[in-house]
Amino acid sequence: MALRIQSMGGCVIVAFPPEVDGVRAAEVDATLGERVWDRSPPTGLVLDLSPVQFIDSPGLAVIARACGRGQDRGVDVRIVAPTPTQRRLLDRMGVAHTAVYDTVPLAVLDSLGGRAPMEGGCGGARDSGGGGVQTSGPGAGEQGRTVPAPPGAPT
């Protein structure tokens, strides 16, 4: 199964696999339990749906459960790149309160209160010119904003 989990400044980023059917949903849920919820809770949880090409009801239920667990434990959960249909279905499942972002870097920056992560970036989010993380979306304005890269981070 291609479930990538990484930690960045206290925020856990979970990249979902391309297909999340009933069998894979159970694997994702078990992995989230073992690697996220059974440990000391993170400051934030980012669920990256950008790799997802197919997801059915059990997969959406895993996301809804993660949002509920986060709410119960005081962990802000952010969802990245759901399709409009996925978002509508998740809203109907009770996760309308969950913040949605276009990109992982923006979700991580928001999770960290606008501080650039100290681990040195977000999977290729560095721009080549100014050595910062380019953001857009909620709170960034029409043009976006560039947050300075942490000291010693590659540019």
Side-chain angles (χ1 to χ4, degrees):
M1 179 179 61
L3 183 67
R4 288 187 342 258
I5 299 178
Q6 65 184 36
S7 182
M8 191 169 292
C11 179
V12 173
I13 305 159
V14 179
F16 275 57
E19 294 188 15
V20 190
D21 57 12
V23 172
R24 292 238 169 129
E27 294 171 356
V28 169
D29 201 31
T31 302
L32 282 172
E34 293 167 8
R35 304 234 353 238
V36 176
W37 303 119
D38 292 347
R39 298 177 180 201
S40 174
T43 57
L45 177 63
V46 174
L47 303 177
D48 180 10
L49 303 185
S50 61
V52 175
Q53 297 171 2
F54 173 82
I55 190 167
D56 59 9
S57 296
L60 292 169
V62 168
I63 296 167
R65 240 183 330 277
C67 292
R69 286 178 179 166
Q71 190 173 27
D72 291 346
R73 295 181 173 139
V75 175
D76 288 327
V77 177
R78 289 156 172 81
I79 299 174
V80 173
T83 66
T85 301
Q86 292 167 356
R87 181 62 186 170
R88 188 175 66 251
L89 292 170
L90 287 167
D91 286 348
R92 289 183 182 165
M93 296 174 86
V95 296
H97 63 278
T98 304
V100 174
Y101 298 85
D102 291 332
T103 66
V104 170
L106 183 59
V108 170
L109 281 172
D110 190 47
S111 177
L112 298 174
R115 299 182 322 271
M118 296 309 291
E119 284 81 358
C122 301
R126 301 252 163 246
D127 68 7
S128 58
V133 178
Q134 183 67 37
T135 66
S136 62
E142 289 289 324
Q143 299 299 317
R145 61 189 167 106
T146 300
V147 177
T155 58

